[in-house]
Amino acid sequence: MDYRDEVYFNSTPENECPFSADELAGRLTRLRRKMAAAKIDMLYIMSPENMYYLSGYQAEWYQAQSPQQWPAGSAIAVHVDHDHYILFDSEREAVLGRIFTRSTDTRRFPREALRGSAEFVAGELQREGWLKGTVAMEFGSYRPNRLISHRLEDAFVAQGARVVDGTQIMRELRWIKTPEEVGYLKEAARIANIGMAAARAAIGPGVAELDVYGEMVRAMACAGGENPGITMPVLSGTKTNALHGLATRRKMQHGEMVLVDLSGVFKRYHINFARTFSIGEPEAEVRDLTDRAARFMELVRGILRPNLPVREFNQLALDYFRQEGLWERRGWIGGYEMGIAFPPDWVGNFVFDPLADENSDAVFAPGTAVNYENQFFMPRHQGQYFTIESFLFEEDQAHMLSEQPFELIVVE
């Protein structure tokens, strides 16, 4: 055994798995029940979010856009009839797996394969008897890319498996959060509030967007926050019409609007807030529009409750903004699920929108968390008034999680 082997296979760092053993066992049991209901014998998981949900596995690098010689390889195989999973990974990540997972069955790719081998995976699973029947893969995930996905699918089929899409199985499973997850979401909200307060304190004439970005990132990191799944926008002036822009060296000016969109992150669970600031008191017609838009959130506070029907929420938004004459000024109104996320996204699987029938018959059940976005174009193309609030639903109550006001916030 050479020195590299000694390090890889004998290093025993402190385990930092983010989830308790009971939590992970419960997740695996619920997943196997969903697989049985869908008549899926094995699920092969490569999306970072789902690997994390099932095992705690997390890394800084997932080989998403790497050279073809370094394919995405780490994965988890789950069989409907077995109460453990198999973690596949490179020997180069042997120590990483010991830090973040509680895996009891980890298979390392051969050294000559470096980071992945479809043939090795298929051979190991075939010897376990896990490739009999229907195998599901996550066709809706960016990881692995099409080349690797086809290679895996062909290797499974060559062993006699029938391959189908299983993208939604774990996405749906993750919709209802456990009490442990709810606690993580509340901590993410605490961190997000610290970040927004830091951004508010940093905004002012002559301050660069990146300066504000740096202050809020530093504040959240010091509060125990982690890197979010999306690079957080800090946008000023008419740049606020491009909500998915990036902070740059542009310096803010008196009289401009400033938009801050961030997520607090704790153990990869995200809570999203956004607020719009005005450097100096805005014009009267701007103040009128933003005040009327902000008042909607008080109506929301009045109906927010566990098991709130999505249709009721959507109708409230539709009726109010039409009544106020704001509907035609909207950018987008709606929201989406909050929870586990890794770069390059923090947008969850469940989406709701007053104009969309999809999910309108659902309810915000206890254990769910969503954000909600108000986007309205201000007079004379000055930018967008943009707010995001996140809601958390528990058994006996529902929460609005932010501490900043919804009205346009004036700074000098």
Side-chain angles (χ1 to χ4, degrees):
M1 180 180 291
D2 62 22
Y3 187 71
R4 177 170 59 175
D5 288 333
E6 288 186 31
V7 172
Y8 286 158
F9 297 106
N10 294 320
S11 178
T12 55
E14 178 184 353
N15 185 268
E16 298 181 39
C17 182
F19 308 113
S20 67
D22 287 345
E23 177 79 8
L24 292 175
R27 294 177 182 187
L28 181 58
T29 297
R30 293 191 295 276
L31 172 59
R32 290 170 56 209
R33 288 174 185 157
K34 286 186 72 69
M35 290 169 61
K39 296 182 169 51
I40 289 172
D41 297 289
M42 191 194 82
L43 177 63
Y44 196 71
I45 301 163
M46 292 190 72
S47 62
E49 293 80 3
N50 289 340
M51 288 185 65
Y52 178 78
Y53 179 83
L54 205 59
S55 72
Y57 186 99
Q58 55 184 310
E60 65 157 2
W61 181 44
Y62 286 93
Q63 304 85 43
Q65 285 291 97
S66 298
Q68 290 191 32
Q69 297 94 326
W70 298 345
S74 56
I76 290 176
V78 178
H79 195 278
V80 70
D81 294 329
H82 295 270
D83 61 2
H84 77 283
Y85 58 79
I86 298 174
L87 171 64
F88 290 96
D89 210 355
S90 162
E91 68 170 10
R92 296 175 64 84
E93 307 296 3
V95 178
L96 182 149
R98 293 193 193 103
I99 295 172
F100 293 112
T101 79
R102 302 180 187 273
S103 174
T104 60
D105 188 350
T106 301
R107 314 284 174 97
R108 309 274 175 217
F109 297 122
R111 182 164 291 178
E112 62 271 17
L114 189 64
R115 290 205 161 271
S117 167
E119 293 71 28
F120 173 79
V121 169
E124 293 291 302
L125 294 174
Q126 190 274 333
R127 280 187 285 275
E128 295 291 336
W130 286 22
L131 291 182
K132 297 175 181 177
T134 301
V135 170
M137 297 175 63
E138 299 174 300
F139 293 160
S141 172
Y142 75 94
R143 184 181 190 269
N145 63 41
R146 183 174 179 177
L147 293 175
I148 304 305
S149 181
H150 274 304
R151 195 176 301 165
L152 285 162
E153 182 177 356
D154 289 346
F156 294 159
V157 170
Q159 296 293 343
R162 171 178 171 262
V163 177
V164 299
D165 179 30
T167 301
Q168 288 299 109
I169 292 175
M170 285 196 67
R171 290 187 178 191
E172 292 173 356
L173 183 66
R174 287 165 42 201
W175 168 235
I176 303 293
K177 277 68 174 177
T178 65
E180 188 169 305
E181 292 178 282
V182 168
Y184 294 169
L185 288 164
K186 289 180 178 179
E187 182 63 10
R190 182 189 71 83
I191 292 165
N193 279 304
I194 289 171
M196 190 61 76
R200 179 176 182 169
I203 291 170
V207 177
E209 294 169 346
L210 281 170
D211 290 337
V212 176
Y213 173 86
E215 289 300 315
M216 71 185 191
V217 169
R218 179 182 181 280
M220 288 193 289
C222 290
E226 303 159 17
N227 181 46
I230 293 176
T231 301
M232 300 177 290
V234 177
L235 310 172
S236 58
T238 55
K239 193 175 177 181
T240 59
N241 284 317
L243 296 181
H244 297 144
L246 294 174
T248 66
R249 298 165 191 83
R250 184 185 188 277
K251 293 186 177 180
M252 306 165 184
Q253 301 175 33
H254 191 274
E256 287 187 334
M257 302 296 159
V258 181
L259 183 156
V260 177
D261 182 0
L262 59 78
S263 268
V265 187
F266 184 75
K267 296 191 177 182
R268 302 315 310 160
Y269 286 79
H270 287 54
I271 286 295
N272 181 210
F273 299 144
R275 290 295 187 271
T276 304
F277 301 85
S278 175
I279 303 179
E281 185 62 34
E283 298 173 0
E285 57 184 333
V286 170
R287 172 59 78 182
D288 175 67
L289 182 148
T290 58
D291 282 351
R292 285 188 289 131
R295 281 196 290 272
F296 173 68
M297 299 309 297
E298 293 309 313
L299 298 181
V300 172
R301 198 184 302 276
I303 68 165
L304 207 63
R305 64 187 186 275
N307 293 308
L308 170 67
V310 173
R311 189 179 300 278
E312 180 181 341
F313 185 97
N314 285 344
Q315 193 63 51
L316 182 72
L318 192 66
D319 291 345
Y320 178 80
F321 291 123
R322 282 179 171 168
Q323 173 187 319
E324 290 293 321
L326 296 174
W327 186 249
E328 298 307 319
R329 282 191 172 271
R330 75 191 186 282
W332 183 67
I333 294 172
Y336 51 80
E337 176 187 356
M338 302 306 303
I340 295 171
F342 286 82
D345 223 328
W346 72 42
V347 179
N349 185 57
F350 184 95
V351 178
F352 62 102
D353 176 336
L355 295 182
D357 288 333
E358 186 179 10
N359 296 324
S360 61
D361 290 328
V363 299
F364 296 115
T368 61
V370 297
N371 81 348
Y372 169 70
E373 305 191 8
N374 271 343
Q375 303 173 11
F376 293 98
F377 293 100
M378 289 184 280
R380 294 192 297 281
H381 305 167
Q382 294 182 62
Q384 285 196 60
Y385 164 75
F386 183 42
T387 61
I388 296 178
E389 177 64 9
S390 284
F391 309 141
L392 177 61
F393 298 86
E394 297 188 85
E395 288 291 340
D396 57 349
Q397 59 184 321
H399 310 272
M400 287 185 173
L401 295 172
S402 73
E403 296 174 354
Q404 297 289 335
F406 295 109
E407 293 81 13
L408 186 67
I409 301 169
V410 176
V411 296
E412 297 298 338

